Amino acid sequence: MKENTRIGILTAGGDCPGLNAVIRAVVKKLVLETAVEIIGFEDGYEGLIKNRYRKLNYADVSGILTEGGTILGTSNVANPFRYPECGEGRMNFRDISAQVLENFRALELQGLVCIGGDGTLTIASRLQKLGIPVVGIPKTIDNDIRGTDVTFGFNSAVTIATEGIDRLHSTAQSHHRVMIIELMGRNAGWISLYAGVAGGGDIIIIPEIPYDINVIAERVKKRSQKGSRFSIVVVSEGARPQGGEQVIRQMIEEIHSN
């Protein structure tokens, strides 16, 4: 890259292990091998919208490899194409992407590194269509980014979920119970499938394969008849019954003016 090149970087969406490792890798690679200046936007797209940023150098990312979270902060609501604003006692949404484009150009950036999941990268794709050169780095524990075999954050989620299933075995066995463990993943069953297999789940229910409650009950009965007095059922949060729909609880927050 030529001299005086400036690249922006941000982390958006939910946090997960590995965010700081990615920031560190990007910054150190550019600092050691190029003359690029790195601008870190704070709190995801919120920083790009409100011009909250700081320069990142080699020293800023040293020692952060094992830290949790992200040194830049994150936000999962700051969507420049649907930005929430409170007015007249209610929440309104508007498109302020033109402001983002203006801020990007005012900082004389030549590119933007967006670290995030499907929501973050969808926004990045739309910004790219506006003329912002984007590099998307897939981050999500759900492992649900198209064209990506394994997203960073996924392996850590599987490890933690597997450990949780392992710890429930003794309780289920001691009290002769059927224990249902719900795991995250939204519309993707990767965490439940990997952790369920690794943790010794007896029944695994994922969104990709609609379940039949009668088949599940019969499976539990057969285990009991064979002498297994407990069962571990691993359920992905996006699971749905055959012929049914996903059950989604939507929380609506009322905004009141003082």
Side-chain angles (χ1 to χ4, degrees):
M1 294 185 180
K2 62 182 180 180
E3 292 186 6
N4 301 321
T5 297
R6 306 181 89 193
I7 299 293
I9 184 172
L10 59 83
T11 53
D15 67 307
C16 72
L19 286 171
N20 283 330
V22 176
I23 295 171
R24 174 182 179 274
V26 172
V27 173
K28 288 200 170 185
K29 182 73 172 179
L30 291 175
V31 168
L32 291 174
E33 299 187 12
T34 70
V36 171
E37 184 178 12
I38 303 102
I39 301 297
F41 289 100
E42 298 178 346
D43 303 328
Y45 290 110
E46 186 79 13
L48 191 56
I49 292 168
K50 296 187 176 180
N51 260 337
R52 294 209 309 264
Y53 60 88
R54 56 192 172 101
K55 294 181 181 179
L56 295 176
N57 55 40
Y58 193 93
D60 293 323
V61 297
S62 293
I64 68 170
L65 189 60
T66 57
E67 288 185 16
T70 161
I71 62 169
L72 292 176
T74 186
S75 170
N76 55 9
V77 296
N79 181 347
F81 296 96
R82 194 173 183 270
Y83 190 72
E85 292 182 331
C86 183
E88 299 181 355
R90 56 178 294 182
M91 185 69 77
N92 301 304
F93 299 90
R94 66 189 185 98
D95 185 339
I96 57 173
S97 56
Q99 180 178 325
V100 167
L101 185 59
E102 182 180 334
N103 292 343
F104 179 87
R105 290 172 175 169
L107 286 170
E108 299 181 340
L109 296 171
Q110 280 74 48
L112 181 65
V113 177
C114 299
I115 308 169
D118 51 357
T120 300
L121 298 185
T122 297
I123 294 172
S125 177
R126 296 184 68 178
L127 291 177
Q128 188 273 332
K129 292 176 181 177
L130 293 180
I132 295 179
V134 169
V135 173
I137 301 180
K139 171 276 312 175
T140 167
I141 66 169
D142 302 333
N143 199 39
D144 59 353
I145 301 297
R146 181 179 297 178
T148 305
D149 290 330
V150 178
T151 60
F152 74 86
F154 172 64
N155 284 332
S156 296
V158 169
T159 299
I160 293 170
T162 301
E163 185 177 309
I165 296 171
D166 285 339
R167 292 184 176 184
L168 285 175
H169 264 86
S170 58
T171 301
Q173 190 169 12
S174 298
H175 294 274
H176 319 305
R177 291 176 178 172
V178 175
M179 302 200 76
I180 300 174
I181 305 164
E182 182 183 19
L183 297 178
M184 295 175 69
R186 199 178 301 179
N187 298 316
W190 290 109
I191 296 177
S192 295
L193 182 60
Y194 273 56
V197 171
D202 303 300
I203 299 168
I204 302 172
I205 305 172
I206 60 177
E208 292 83 352
I209 304 175
Y211 65 86
D212 183 333
I213 192 65
N214 295 314
V215 173
I216 294 170
E218 187 62 29
R219 171 64 176 165
V220 172
K221 288 179 182 178
K222 285 185 177 180
R223 280 182 49 79
S224 179
Q225 291 168 0
K226 291 179 180 180
S228 297
R229 302 174 67 187
F230 75 97
S231 291
I232 299 289
V233 182
V234 180
V235 184
S236 178
E237 65 175 332
R240 62 184 176 87
Q242 291 180 0
E245 299 179 350
Q246 288 181 346
V247 177
I248 300 174
R249 176 179 166 187
Q250 190 173 32
M251 300 190 68
I252 302 174
E253 182 179 295
E254 294 184 1
I255 308 298
H256 299 280
S257 57
N258 296 326

